[in-house]
Amino acid sequence: MTDLSILENLNEEQRRAVVDTEGALLVLAGAGSGKTRVLTTRVAYLVKNMNVDPYNILAITFTNKAAGEMKQRVANMLGESCEVWISTFHSMCAQILFRECERIGYGKNFSIYAEAECARVLKRIMKSPSDADNEKNAKLFDTYYGHIKRIKSFNRDPKEYAEACIGESKIKKETLRLFDLYQAELKNNNAMDFDDLLINTVKLFDENPDVLERYQRRFRYIHVDEFQDTNKIQYRLVRQLAKGYGNIFVVGDEDQSIYGWRGAEISNILDFKKDFPDAKVYKLEQNYRSTAHILNAANRVIANNKKRFDKVLKTTKEGGKRVEVFNAYNDREEVDYVMRNINDLVTLAGYNYGDIAILMRANSLSRQFEEALTLYNMPYRVYGGIRFYERKEIKELLCYLRIAINPFDNESAARIINVPRRGIGDTTVQKLIECAGANGTHLFDVVKNIENVDGLNAGTKQKIAGFRNLWLSLIDAAGKSDAVAFSEYVLKASGLFDMYKADEAEPDRVENLKEFVSAVNLFRKDNPGKTIEDFLRMVALISDADEIDDSNSVTLATIHAVKGLEFPVVFIVALEENIFPSSHAVIESDDNIEEERRLMYVAITRAKERLYVSSSRCRFRFNQRQNNLRSRFVQELIGNVPAKTPQTPQSEQKSTFKPAYTGAAAVKPASPAANAVDVSEYTVGRKVEHSKFGTGVIVSVSGSGNETIAGIEFENLGIKKFVVALAAKNMRLL
């Protein structure tokens, strides 16, 4: 029985795509155009109106969350008992392989190794007793592991990959050797990693035509979501299955293909009609998310790409606020601009903090914004990442600084005694801690006199002695260097910089370490006479884990992390050449620039109601001052349409940041609500009650007027500092 009610909420182009049920179809779904609704409605239409057995329908997506959402939508239309196979690529392959794995030489009930288990396998191989030089190579573990993962995720021949992507011949040779040993060890363990699930399913089908034919008969109708994000092996798998009936329905947007760095092939969507010559193409250009001004900006930017289909997003949300463009004199003025606007949006325009997102190209750019948001008591969360001072590499550097300043910090010493790897295992560290406890002393004293410790062999004592000598040199340097020179010395002497520089898989870690030194430098300039000890105390206040309730918080994120999300208000910051687009994109190729432009397009289309873009002529980054050209994307965004810009020439504007207790500076709240606070009542000794932190006592007051900063000591929490004009709404005087 025909049921057309499921089509009622679709526009004309969406309906056409849903009811066209036979053959190959490519649906180009622009940002905010309702692609998931179209895909799930088509599944329901096949069952309800075309009498297709749910058993014969496959729908594949990329994340468990997306798969869960699709299942729920289909269930709402067809009933909870629906048998449509909806899953991620990896889940689908795992289910197939558990049934068929013996065909390719694996035993029943093979194990699937997660990231941590795969890492342990490679570590064991690298530390094999038969390899005399692997102790030193262990420092390059992350490099080798990164190369192995890329060989598999890009589906490359190992030798071909090594020649094309690895410079040093020694690294090439070792990567190939370890790759073979790693694969052999997995096979020996009757185990697969996540990449193996895809690779081995394709192998299963290639080597066993009867198995492939069985699954082709089952999956008469195949649907793929986020098709622009498929890699070579995923697309090959889809083509294998689709050769049976030829009914393949793929949904994607080439303008949102931003994962080339992890193997996604934009050519899969651009060349779809080459593989399926009879494929029909439908364009979903009706955007249901953003206002006309925002979409016009997005269209102007993406139109500069050559490798794309001709489509233009449209909206029924005419008008709205113009895109606001700001070119700051320096990065502090940019932070000031963002903070001021957030304050006004919340206090004057009726927005919540949770409506606002600050998006950036690289996570190392988040530090100044984190410091400013913390200083002004604005709640925030780092989406898809970790707060700057909570990042692994930063915590390790902080530990080194702490043990130089405070040699009796046992926790910090225990954390980094084997970072970078020195061959000092967890069991040895535990013995050292127990020895200190038994003697009523500190880990430092035990390490300093390691020759006198019983129960350790000579080789282990020698390794610990090496760490002791480093520790003593850090203590010595702490008393002779200023804060910046000392932090640079510790970064290099500890070995952290070289360790993370060798990790080609995660270049952001090196950038974060450089940015840490920049933070120390800015702190010193803003606080003459302050020491590295003062900086560490400041960081402790910022990195307190008790600060934020994510339910109503400003989102701070890289653009990659928020693909698929939307926000009423979006700030895109640090729009400068060599930052966004990134330096490697500027240097390498037009293809890289096009992917950067797609990333900009994704950032713009996250905004529903208001969009702010900002840049800085001068930026203090990686401990050096950079003079920057404004990103080409800003001019593309503006086009010939004048955007709303500050009316005062930039050269005449003065930053309203004032030095406080961090390298960030204080913004003058512009709202009447803030101005209404009587800061004179906030005096030393006065008790306050904070809605989050409880009862405290004011122990210090600095600044004046709307820039008054109160230091408040809370029981069990230490001293926290607040801009009174902004924080007063969350606390009352007692």
Side-chain angles (χ1 to χ4, degrees):
M1 183 176 179
T2 302
D3 180 8
L4 298 180
S5 64
I6 59 176
L7 304 177
E8 290 178 353
N9 294 322
L10 304 180
N11 62 38
E12 182 57 32
E13 194 69 5
Q14 289 173 329
R15 282 193 206 96
R16 289 178 62 208
V18 166
V19 303
D20 194 344
T21 59
E22 302 302 309
L25 280 84
L26 170 61
V27 179
L28 299 172
S33 63
K35 65 177 179 62
T36 304
R37 180 193 306 167
V38 170
L39 193 152
T40 53
T41 303
R42 187 179 195 263
V43 170
Y45 183 85
L46 286 169
V47 175
K48 281 193 170 187
N49 295 339
M50 304 302 295
N51 297 316
V52 176
D53 189 335
Y55 181 81
N56 296 130
I57 299 174
L58 172 67
I60 319 172
T61 188
F62 279 83
T63 66
N64 291 318
K65 181 181 178 182
E69 182 183 348
M70 288 170 62
K71 287 177 182 177
Q72 189 57 57
R73 291 195 184 194
V74 171
N76 291 340
M77 289 184 278
L78 297 179
E80 295 294 339
S81 61
C82 174
E83 297 181 11
V84 176
W85 190 330
I86 301 174
S87 74
T88 64
F89 275 100
H90 291 97
S91 177
M92 177 190 73
C93 291
Q95 292 183 63
I96 292 172
L97 288 171
F98 274 124
R99 299 170 186 172
E100 316 287 349
C101 59
E102 290 176 313
R103 291 288 196 104
I104 55 171
Y106 284 82
K108 287 284 188 184
N109 300 317
F110 64 87
S111 298
I112 300 174
Y113 281 1
E115 189 92 356
E117 293 165 312
C118 295
R120 282 197 293 271
V121 169
L122 185 59
K123 287 176 182 176
R124 280 198 304 273
I125 293 169
M126 295 178 69
K127 294 180 180 179
S128 170
S130 63
D131 297 317
D133 65 337
N134 265 337
E135 184 62 41
K136 66 178 181 179
N137 284 347
K139 295 180 179 180
L140 296 174
F141 164 79
D142 291 331
T143 297
Y144 294 130
Y145 190 38
H147 284 311
I148 290 171
K149 287 195 293 184
R150 285 193 287 277
I151 288 170
K152 302 181 77 170
S153 62
F154 282 75
N155 197 33
R156 297 280 295 274
D157 175 83
K159 291 182 180 178
E160 178 191 297
Y161 172 88
E163 283 303 317
C165 302
I166 303 176
E168 189 179 337
S169 60
K170 185 178 179 181
I171 302 295
K172 288 179 185 177
K173 184 178 179 181
E174 186 69 356
T175 297
L176 292 173
R177 186 182 77 89
L178 292 172
F179 178 86
D180 290 339
L181 291 173
Y182 171 78
Q183 288 297 101
E185 185 66 14
L186 288 183
K187 187 68 180 296
N188 186 58
N189 293 352
N190 194 37
M192 300 183 199
D193 63 21
F194 271 53
D195 289 315
D196 285 332
L197 295 175
L198 303 174
I199 294 167
N200 284 335
T201 302
V202 169
K203 180 182 178 182
L204 170 73
F205 290 159
D206 283 342
E207 297 178 356
N208 300 275
D210 61 313
V211 176
L212 174 59
E213 186 182 357
R214 189 172 354 119
Y215 284 96
Q216 287 174 336
R217 286 198 306 270
R218 173 166 183 183
F219 299 133
R220 290 178 56 191
Y221 294 89
I222 299 168
H223 304 76
V224 184
D225 193 20
E226 302 286 5
F227 187 63
Q228 78 281 346
D229 293 335
T230 54
N231 60 26
K232 287 182 178 180
I233 196 73
Q234 289 163 338
Y235 187 33
R236 187 175 171 187
L237 177 63
V238 168
R239 290 202 311 272
Q240 286 177 314
L241 291 171
K243 282 181 180 178
Y245 285 87
N247 296 324
I248 178 170
F249 182 95
V250 300
V251 183
D253 182 8
E254 80 286 1
D255 291 335
Q256 297 187 73
S257 179
I258 59 174
Y259 298 118
W261 51 275
R262 69 182 190 194
E265 286 281 348
I266 192 173
S267 60
N268 292 348
I269 190 169
L270 293 175
D271 298 337
F272 185 76
K273 280 185 70 71
K274 292 181 181 178
D275 295 313
F276 299 91
D278 298 326
K280 299 172 188 174
V281 179
Y282 293 95
K283 298 179 184 179
L284 305 185
E285 298 173 294
Q286 184 68 49
N287 175 282
Y288 295 95
R289 176 185 299 157
S290 307
T291 64
H293 282 301
I294 293 170
L295 284 190
N296 290 340
N299 287 330
R300 284 193 292 270
V301 170
I302 203 61
N304 291 276
N305 271 7
K306 296 176 181 177
K307 293 184 177 181
R308 64 184 299 268
F309 296 98
D310 182 23
K311 63 180 187 297
V312 179
L313 292 183
K314 297 169 283 202
T315 183
T316 56
K317 298 181 180 179
E318 293 299 326
K321 295 287 184 179
R322 285 190 179 276
V323 176
E324 186 164 326
V325 177
F326 186 80
N327 188 22
Y329 172 72
N330 58 30
D331 46 353
R332 292 194 173 187
E333 189 177 61
E334 183 185 29
V335 174
D336 176 26
Y337 167 78
V338 174
M339 295 300 112
R340 186 183 300 282
N341 276 284
I342 291 175
N343 181 62
D344 288 349
L345 286 164
V346 172
T347 59
L348 300 178
Y351 287 95
N352 295 314
Y353 288 116
D355 296 329
I356 301 168
I358 304 172
L359 306 183
M360 59 202 66
R361 177 63 180 85
N363 62 28
S364 61
L365 294 161
S366 73
R367 179 190 58 80
Q368 281 189 307
F369 293 96
E370 288 188 53
E371 290 182 355
L373 288 163
T374 301
L375 180 60
Y376 311 125
N377 202 36
M378 295 179 183
Y380 75 95
R381 62 171 181 162
V382 178
Y383 186 86
I386 304 170
R387 293 168 177 253
F388 184 83
Y389 290 110
E390 297 295 325
R391 291 167 187 161
K392 177 177 179 290
E393 64 278 13
I394 299 300
K395 277 194 166 294
E396 289 165 352
L397 180 54
L398 284 169
C399 285
Y400 271 107
L401 291 168
R402 287 179 184 129
I403 66 169
I405 302 301
N406 174 22
F408 304 134
D409 186 341
N410 290 341
E411 291 299 319
S412 293
R415 176 169 181 151
I416 45 81
I417 191 171
N418 198 41
V419 180
R421 297 181 183 90
R422 300 183 175 90
I424 305 171
D426 292 343
T427 302
T428 299
V429 175
Q430 188 58 39
K431 285 182 180 178
L432 298 176
I433 293 171
E434 290 172 355
C435 181
N439 291 283
T441 185
H442 300 91
L443 190 59
F444 174 70
D445 298 308
V446 176
V447 169
K448 190 166 64 171
N449 299 288
I450 191 62
E451 290 82 3
N452 301 324
V453 176
D454 297 328
L456 298 174
N457 62 46
T460 299
K461 287 184 177 180
Q462 186 176 1
K463 293 171 183 175
I464 296 170
F467 176 70
R468 173 194 59 198
N469 296 337
L470 169 63
W471 196 343
L472 292 172
S473 73
L474 298 181
I475 294 171
D476 183 61
K480 297 178 179 178
S481 309
D482 66 24
V484 177
F486 176 59
S487 61
E488 288 178 326
Y489 173 78
V490 172
L491 178 57
K492 293 293 180 67
S494 66
L496 289 176
F497 184 82
D498 289 338
M499 179 181 75
Y500 285 115
K501 190 175 181 181
D503 181 7
E504 297 177 7
E506 296 192 76
D508 283 353
R509 295 195 186 277
V510 173
E511 290 193 359
N512 290 336
L513 290 168
K514 291 178 180 176
E515 182 62 22
F516 181 95
V517 179
S518 294
V520 176
N521 200 350
L522 286 173
F523 176 84
R524 181 194 63 175
K525 289 181 177 180
D526 288 339
N527 301 274
K530 295 290 186 179
T531 64
I532 191 67
E533 292 95 324
D534 297 308
F535 177 80
L536 293 176
R537 282 192 284 272
M538 178 275 291
V539 170
L541 293 173
I542 289 178
S543 59
D544 248 352
D546 58 4
E547 1 171 316
I548 300 302
D549 177 8
D550 282 352
S551 60
N552 183 27
S553 302
V554 175
T555 295
L556 199 61
T558 64
I559 302 163
H560 283 102
V562 295
K563 185 175 176 291
L565 302 181
E566 59 185 38
F567 306 89
V569 181
V570 168
F571 293 84
I572 309 173
V573 300
L575 275 163
E576 297 129 39
E577 292 289 306
N578 296 312
I579 295 179
F580 195 10
S582 66
S583 56
H584 79 269
V586 172
I587 295 170
E588 291 180 3
S589 70
D590 290 342
D591 285 349
N592 292 91
I593 288 292
E594 291 215 349
E595 179 153 325
E596 292 286 299
R597 187 174 283 111
R598 292 193 292 271
L599 191 61
M600 180 66 179
Y601 174 83
V602 167
I604 294 170
T605 54
R606 298 314 93 197
K608 297 168 65 176
E609 300 170 10
R610 301 194 187 205
L611 176 65
Y612 301 79
V613 299
S614 60
S615 56
S616 172
R617 296 177 182 180
C618 178
R619 184 172 300 278
F620 196 82
R621 196 168 184 233
F622 306 150
N623 202 33
Q624 60 182 359
R625 193 163 299 280
Q626 303 172 352
N627 295 318
N628 303 317
L629 294 174
R630 192 163 68 171
S631 170
R632 69 192 72 188
F633 301 149
V634 176
Q635 187 57 49
E636 293 172 0
L637 178 150
I638 296 172
N640 295 320
V641 180
K644 182 181 177 183
T645 58
Q647 297 189 1
T648 306
Q650 304 304 311
S651 61
E652 297 177 15
Q653 292 184 345
K654 303 285 186 181
S655 174
T656 56
F657 277 87
K658 302 289 184 184
Y661 74 100
T662 75
V667 64
K668 286 183 181 178
S671 71
N675 291 336
V677 177
D678 185 359
V679 297
S680 66
E681 296 187 19
Y682 287 77
T683 56
V684 174
R686 190 77 183 265
K687 288 187 175 182
V688 301
E689 185 176 27
H690 193 280
S691 59
K692 185 174 181 65
F693 305 125
T695 303
V697 178
I698 299 174
V699 296
S700 68
V701 178
S702 61
S704 61
N706 294 330
E707 297 167 18
T708 300
I709 296 172
I712 304 174
E713 185 171 8
F714 297 95
E715 188 175 354
N716 299 322
L717 296 176
I719 299 173
K720 294 183 176 293
K721 297 199 176 186
F722 303 90
V723 178
V724 173
L726 292 175
K729 61 185 177 186
N730 295 319
M731 59 188 178
R732 65 185 181 94
L733 293 165
L734 299 177

